[in-house]
Structure formats: C-alpha cells, structure tokens
Amino acid sequence: NAGVTQTPKFQVLKTGQSMTLQCAQDMNHNSMYWYRQDPGMGLRLIYYSASEGTTDKGEVPNGYNVSRLNKREFSLRLESAAPSQTSVYFCATGGLAASTDTQYFGPGTRLTVL
Amino acid sequence: AQTVTQSQPEMSVQEAETVTLSCTYDTSESDYYLFWYKQPPSRQMILVIRQEAYKQQNATENRFSVNFQKAAKSFSLKISDSQLGDAAMYFCAYRSNAGGTSYGKLTFGQGTILTVHP
C-alpha cells in the first residue's frame, strides 16, 4: 500500500519546455488535488478532480492543465514552463464522505524553471 | 472566499515545554473542518489533528490538542512535552463541508516554522 505517489521527485526545465507531473493513489479515493507550495505562501490549489471524469480549476490554474486518467491517476501538465512556476508541487487525495474527509499528500515534486 | 491566517512566521520552544501555534480564519459558513498539518524537512505533509466545526469539544491527539473558538474564528494548536521530532513547518487549513464547488478543497495558512531547542 503505497498511498499517494508522485513522479518525478525533482525536475529542472528551461523556459518554454513542457512536462507532465504524475500522481497515482491506491487508496480508492474519489477526489484528487494538485497544490503548489511557494515560500511564505502556504499551499495553493491549482486544480482538482472530485471524481473520475471531472476536473475543476482551483485558486491558481493559469499555465496548467490536468487529466484525470482514471480513478487512480491525476496528472498535471505545464505546456510552456515559466520561471514563475518554480515551486514544489503536491498531489493529494481525499474522499467526500464525512468518514473520509482527510486529505493525504504525496511526497512532492520540486520543479525549477530556468 | 475563505482565508486562513497564521500570524507567527516562526516559533521556538525548549524540549519538554509547551508551545501554542495560532491560527485564525474567515468564513461565512457554519459547516466546515479545520486541520493542522506538519511538514518536516522531508516535505511530507502529515496530518496532526482535525476538528469538525459542529463539535464543541476540542480535539486531542496524544500530545497535540487544539483550542477551537468558533465565534472568534480561532483554531490554535498546543503541543505539550515538545520533542526534537516536533520541529517542522506547521500549517493550519480550512475545508468547507457546505457542498458546491468549494467542497473538499483545502485552504492553507502561510505556515509557522517551529524550532525545538534541546
């Protein structure tokens, strides 16, 4: 039982390059989330998926796209990376029922855009 | 929109002493959850404690307890008998339970860095 996994752990991109961050969970949770963490700002929600087949924008969606491939996987894509997207990215999962309202986080991906 | 504020960027405590981390939030909702997450240098986000807004009793988890003041919109974390392993960044977070487009999403505060001195 791996919980929430993210790949890669580290990535360096040049401005304008594209890449996809992968997230997978084996917790059978319906909802999945992508957050970014910048110094002094806490975590901010980029996109989320309440269930397979649905995605919605969060607080800071510009410059990103997401795909909920199936119940287990939720990917985040940067089409044309910018230095402002240098950050640590976290994937999280959680249920919507009161008994499963805790979100569980992956280990994060540290992305640097030069 | 909900906001969460942690007014203490850094706190320090002596090992075995008690420390309290502050958190305030702003919301017009009555049904929500509040959380404290711990982030050690490994960056892993670890749930410390959670509180349901409809429960008046303050949540406790071993050495961790909260002081939840709903009317004041305050949610502080008390760590008793502090240990070196408690050193980390601590985040306060809000989660609506009201349904609609905000359902399930966490809103985080800026974080408080806790240092534990031996």
Side-chain angles (χ1 to χ4, degrees), chain A residues 2-21:
Chain A
V4 183
T5 58
Q6 291 183 235
T7 55
K9 287 186 170 54
F10 301 92
Q11 184 71 49
V12 178
L13 293 177
K14 295 180 180 178
T15 297
Q17 288 185 316
S18 62
M19 79 159 295
T20 299
L21 281 65

Side-chain angles (χ1 to χ4, degrees), chain B residues 49-100:
Chain B
I49 200 166
R50 76 178 193 200
Q51 174 80 44
E52 289 90 342
Y54 62 86
K55 289 186 177 179
Q56 293 189 350
Q57 186 174 6
N58 290 325
T60 62
E61 288 287 341
N62 300 313
R63 298 183 294 107
F64 298 87
S65 61
V66 298
N67 183 4
F68 173 48
Q69 301 289 328
K70 191 172 184 179
K73 297 179 182 175
S74 170
F75 182 60
S76 61
L77 175 69
K78 186 172 81 171
I79 306 174
S80 304
D81 186 24
S82 297
Q83 300 175 359
L84 295 177
D86 294 334
M89 174 83 87
Y90 286 81
F91 290 97
C92 177
Y94 172 102
R95 179 186 184 275
S96 171
N97 200 35

